[in-house]
Amino acid sequence: MNLLEEAVNELLPESYHHLSAKEMSKRVQAIRQKFGEALFIPCHHYQKDEVVQFADSIGDSLQLAQAAAQNKKARYIVFCGVHFMAETADMLTDDTQKVILPDLRAGCSMADMADIYQLEQAWPRLLERFGDTIMPITYINSTAAIKAFVGSHGGTTVTSSNARQIVQHALTQKKRIFFLPDQHLGRNTAAELGIPLDEMAIWNPIRQELEDVQTSDDRLQVILWKGYCSVHQHFTLKNIAAIRKNHPAMQIIVHPECPYEVVQAADMAGSTKKIVDTIENAPAGSEWAIGTEANLVGRIIQAHPDKKIVSLNPFTCPCMTMNRIDLPHLLFALEKLNQGEVIHQIQVDKQTTTDALAALNRMLAQS
Ligand code: 13P
Ligand code: SF4
């Protein structure tokens, strides 16, 4: 097969759009049964219900990274999440285990905001200005190349579940951190650790310069890459004010990818896992407004009919790239596998893997 034929061969055939959900589910189930433990389907909490029903493991980014690292039995890992998660799974599994992303268009707009070439330009400039005083830290929502750069420069990855303890530890090792690519998680985490906002500045990767510098270079502790999550950025102070006015008994819990003012005005903030656990453990009759991805909020509402739960922003959308993994794409990838063909494999090269693993393993050792 030449490259063009290969690309066409991997495109979802039109016929899959005409199958009923029942038919697709039956066929997915049959393949899962046939493969048994040789097939592992991890799903992020933000995936659609039609996909989550087939999850062997459902979790947030940290839990899925840990599940991939621990699984030694599966020959095929069909990852229902986004591209950086599938890359991470590939790096954390053996060479014999193949990771498949059912739709290659399932990326992450935040991860795309940090380009390795921008980082390679930024780093020497920061070293020139601040000397060897900076620990690079990247949110796991970043490309393998960014993780590799961070790993080979003594840094670590974080997820929203462990950012606080890892940033705290990093600041005992170096005077300042350079946090990529989510400025909101970086700012919220540093603020939680008591670092004043004026000791943080923003690195603009397009202009290649520091913005919002409000202190002397000597006092600057946190440099935030100017990236954000297009889903969580949409929760606002107006949304909080509307809940306080219309549902005064409601508690508001938000993800730390939300802007600083929103996290400050909410009653609680925490990773996807913390949000799921908090609602799980809340008493019947309690009332909640949740500021995170819409598929997950919808599922939490369904799972807790004894509680009154709404989305903090009633007009919020699901993460569009997470949503690209749907039942037709999952079925197509599995049926190809069943025919002996691996499509949409995510494979990170050896050198990148070695360097990125340095960052990932530092994180996993502290989690
Ligand atoms: P967590 O899974 O760490 O909560 O991150 C949320 C997210 O946006 C994943 O893309
Ligand atoms: Fe990326 Fe935000 Fe979607 Fe997560 S929710 S995959 S951070 S765009």
Side-chain angles (χ1 to χ4, degrees):
M1 244 189 276
N2 65 35
L3 274 178
L4 184 63
E5 283 168 339
E6 212 172 282
V8 171
N9 179 47
E10 295 194 359
L11 279 180
L12 183 71
E14 176 63 23
S15 57
Y16 278 76
H17 289 297
H18 305 298
L19 296 171
S20 69
K22 197 170 163 204
E23 170 69 14
M24 287 189 278
S25 299
K26 201 174 90 194
R27 282 158 59 170
V28 168
Q29 199 48 32
I31 294 172
R32 286 180 80 217
Q33 254 157 24
K34 180 177 161 189
F35 277 73
E37 286 187 332
L39 175 66
F40 181 56
I41 305 183
C43 278
H44 191 271
H45 278 299
Y46 298 172
Q47 289 285 294
K48 294 175 168 184
D49 291 348
E50 66 189 45
V51 168
V52 165
Q53 64 176 320
F54 298 112
D56 290 312
S57 168
I58 171 159
D60 67 2
S61 305
L62 177 62
Q63 291 171 300
L64 295 181
Q66 287 168 328
Q70 280 155 18
N71 188 316
K72 302 291 170 223
K73 288 190 175 146
R75 277 188 297 135
Y76 305 107
I77 295 167
V78 177
F79 207 105
C80 296
V82 289
H83 193 272
F84 73 80
M85 296 178 182
E87 278 186 334
T88 303
D90 179 55
M91 295 189 287
L92 288 170
T93 48
D94 298 344
D95 288 350
T96 55
Q97 297 176 293
K98 292 185 165 55
V99 176
I100 292 164
L101 185 65
D103 186 341
L104 289 179
R105 299 169 310 158
C108 163
S109 51
M110 178 204 284
D112 289 346
M113 287 176 199
D115 184 283
I116 184 61
Y117 303 108
Q118 294 170 328
L119 178 56
E120 281 169 351
Q121 280 179 288
W123 186 248
R125 287 177 193 224
L126 291 172
L127 286 192
E128 197 185 324
R129 182 155 169 181
F130 296 100
D132 180 20
T133 61
I134 313 169
M135 165 94 69
I137 294 184
T138 186
Y139 192 17
I140 200 164
N141 298 26
S142 53
T143 62
I146 295 280
K147 291 185 181 83
F149 185 98
V150 167
S152 60
H153 289 80
T156 174
T157 54
V158 297
T159 74
S160 57
S161 285
N162 57 25
R164 186 194 152 109
Q165 79 241 33
I166 290 178
V167 168
Q168 188 168 33
H169 177 71
L171 285 168
T172 64
Q173 308 297 302
K174 291 274 184 179
K175 185 169 176 179
R176 43 184 73 86
I177 58 163
F178 183 25
F179 192 97
L180 300 94
D182 184 14
Q183 59 170 300
H184 300 304
L185 179 66
R187 187 179 294 109
N188 288 323
T189 305
E192 206 187 334
L193 290 169
I195 298 174
L197 288 184
D198 66 5
E199 292 179 17
M200 306 182 204
I202 295 171
W203 179 259
N204 183 326
I206 313 255
R207 298 166 68 108
Q208 288 287 323
E209 64 185 31
L210 270 184
E211 289 177 351
D212 267 0
V213 183
Q214 296 168 49
T215 189
S216 63
D217 280 5
D218 188 52
R219 285 189 62 230
L220 193 67
Q221 287 199 66
V222 177
I223 302 165
L224 303 163
W225 188 274
K226 198 174 185 175
Y228 59 87
C229 165
S230 42
V231 173
H232 291 93
Q233 173 119 327
H234 283 127
F235 294 100
T236 62
L237 282 179
K238 264 193 171 164
N239 299 145
I240 302 237
I243 294 290
R244 300 280 188 227
K245 181 165 174 255
N246 300 324
H247 306 277
M250 265 187 184
Q251 296 183 74
I252 301 176
I253 184 165
V254 299
H255 194 281
E257 288 174 16
C258 293
Y260 173 77
E261 324 77 73
V262 171
V263 169
Q264 290 302 307
D267 298 302
M268 274 176 243
S271 67
T272 300
K273 180 176 176 351
K274 178 166 173 191
I275 293 174
V276 170
D277 291 349
T278 302
I279 307 294
E280 192 83 45
N281 296 325
S286 59
E287 298 185 22
W288 295 90
I290 306 179
T292 193
E293 201 274 342
N295 284 325
L296 174 61
V297 176
R299 201 171 303 117
I300 292 176
I301 291 172
Q302 294 289 320
H304 298 280
D306 58 329
K307 294 159 201 167
K308 184 172 176 186
I309 305 170
V310 298
S311 171
L312 175 58
N313 177 352
F315 302 110
T316 191
C317 294
C319 172
M320 297 320 286
T321 47
M322 282 271 181
N323 262 26
R324 291 208 159 122
I325 310 295
D326 57 10
L327 194 44
H329 282 89
L330 176 62
L331 176 63
F332 179 53
L334 290 176
E335 292 198 325
K336 283 284 187 186
L337 202 54
N338 199 29
Q339 292 155 18
E341 225 184 295
V342 174
I343 60 163
H344 301 165
Q345 186 180 352
I346 303 297
Q347 243 178 327
V348 181
D349 69 77
K350 267 210 156 21
Q351 188 57 53
T352 306
T353 298
T354 304
D355 292 342
L357 278 179
L360 284 163
N361 287 332
R362 280 183 199 120
M363 173 188 81
L364 290 172
Q366 290 181 68
S367 301

